[in-house]
Amino acid sequence: MKNPVLLLALALVTMAFRTAPVKDALTPLDANKVRFEGIFEEYIQNSIIHWNKGVVPYAGFVQKFRTGRDFFAQGEMWGKAVRSGCMFYRYTGDPELKRLLRETVYDLLSTQRSNGSISCSDIGRQPDGPGGDLWERKYVLLGLDEYYEQVDRDPKVLQAMIGEMDCIISQIGPPPRISITEQGWSPNHIESSTLLEPVMRLYRLTQEKAYLDFARYIVEDAGGAMGYRIFDDAFRNVVPEKIGGVYPKAYEMMSLFEGLCEYYRVTGNDYWKTAIMNLFNNIIANEITLIGSGGGDQPYHPAVMGEAWDNTALEQTNPDMKRMMETCVGVTWLKFCSQVLRLTADPAAADMIEKYAYNGLMGAMKPSGDGFSYVNLLNGVKTNPEGWGGTVNGVNVTCCNLNGPMGLAYLPLVAVMNSDDGPVVNLYNAALIRTGTPSGRPVTLNMVTDYPHTGQIVIAVSPELPERFSIKLRIPSWSQFNSLSVNGKIISAKAGTYAEIHRKWSTGDTIRLHLDTRCRLIPAPRGSNRAGDAFQALVRGPVVLARDENIDTDYNKPVTFLSRDGFVEAIPEPPTLKNTLMQFMVLTTEGLIHVTDYASVNNWNGSHICTWIPIKK
Ligand SMILES: [Zn+2]
């Protein structure tokens, strides 16, 4: 859109909004302050041991910056592998992980070219649009930035980022430089503008005006994609499936909006906050499925391989769907939600993170810990590793193998946060949390629970000295009847809000929370195939349940559940298979059936899952 009248009108609209730097409502705790002891810890350690400290071919990734890429965008691999490693290091402080990361960071720095770039393209070919050079350099910058912020503040690393970014700015920008929307491999080139996030992170580190100017160029001049003003479309409440024309690419769009969150934080212009919140709410309303991710191939965007927004919330039972819910989409949704949570303290963002964490994210990970499914189905063969990627030093590497661990590494970042009034508990899982009170004194929260097996959570609060402050607890939107008390005194706890406990806390104070994990019977949405008449699903607390062919040959036979007021009785039983987290018996007109948590179902052997269960007429 180059219409000058329209551009002027947009400029006036954006100027009318308030501008001042934004203070986050919630802030992450410092490194090493959260120690999970439950199921989150098992998944995180499995990923660290078998992926980040296991098969990742760091030297092979770096080699592409010397010898060139084998296929478009391959240079993304290094940055993605390193940033999840750095975020895991933030959680564990593991010296062996640090050594691995340090070694590969200095290996990468040795590839920096004479123009400052760290790139898989020779200087003469830069900026290499079809090769995905800018997208790759985005991940170089994010990998280096995560290392610099989480592992080691070596000035050489900062200098390398500055060299990379200054080179980009010398090549890309307003005329006579090359437009960022002319660079990329996709139909609308949205991927290149995702440089917004690293440029804002580097601005935060350096306060260099040229970086903020470049960010402003990406957002306010270039508009996010070739031929589309992505941010303005989000502001105008365009549904996600229609943003960006034939290519509403879910992962890249949210990555772009992670950058917009950083841009809003610095500029404080509420126009951008409205764009962020509108996209966030429209994704929830139109895209997010039962297991907390989105995007699909049918019926709207078959050419985008299941990686486009697709009105997936409505289409999730569409039997024509072959590919949906790319793991990169789920993880980037989780990360975008964490930005919204920090900016606004909206409990809906934490609800969404929980929904994806316990279902889509865990359900996509290989039981062997060394990778993730690419796309994820609700009915059929759940996992499918086929997609963009290739073999590096004998290891099959896909974008989703690289992004999955980042989703796990974000769980400690969001589980408990801080506010001006005191700690805020977003996720429930057995954990020991060491944080600070509003006056800056240490306080420990010891969360004892077998969640998500039950909804019983006990938190022992131990401040160093007695102090008056608040502890906030997220009450999930699915939890209708709750009981919350401190030392036996009852406190109100309403679904979909934070329950606030403001009092003078002393060591020995104990919070008891009981969430309503009764098994809910969920009717299917009515998409273009009107499947609402045909399927139902079971969700118990945060956990989606499913039928598994591995334990039940009738796994996809129609049944009618015996329900009352929208709930069914799910009776716990010992799992049939040893790697199953939870298994239940549920009564139907066809007798008792066995269901397990969606995440535990192992379809890597080609067996099938049935999550939307056909209704017997
Ligand atoms: Zn992917």
Side-chain angles (χ1 to χ4, degrees), residues 362-436:
M362 289 181 177
M365 187 161 137
K366 284 185 187 170
S368 50
D370 58 346
F372 280 77
S373 184
Y374 197 105
V375 281
N376 300 276
L377 287 181
L378 296 165
N379 284 24
V381 181
K382 183 180 92 168
T383 42
N384 176 358
E386 298 300 318
W388 178 94
T391 302
V392 180
N393 293 4
V395 181
N396 180 40
V397 184
T398 67
C399 48
C400 294
N401 282 338
L402 291 157
N403 266 333
M406 190 64 170
L408 293 173
Y410 256 57
L411 299 180
L413 193 76
V414 297
V416 177
M417 289 181 162
N418 240 331
S419 72
D420 283 350
D421 307 321
V424 178
V425 179
N426 293 312
L427 298 180
Y428 298 105
N429 202 269
L432 185 67
I433 298 112
R434 293 172 298 135
T435 179

Side-chain angles (χ1 to χ4, degrees), residues 102-122:
R102 175 183 301 231
E103 194 178 292
T104 193
V105 162
Y106 293 109
D107 192 16
L108 184 84
L109 294 197
S110 76
T111 71
Q112 195 150 25
R113 297 173 189 271
S114 59
N115 67 352
S117 68
I118 298 174
S119 168
C120 296
S121 296
D122 295 336

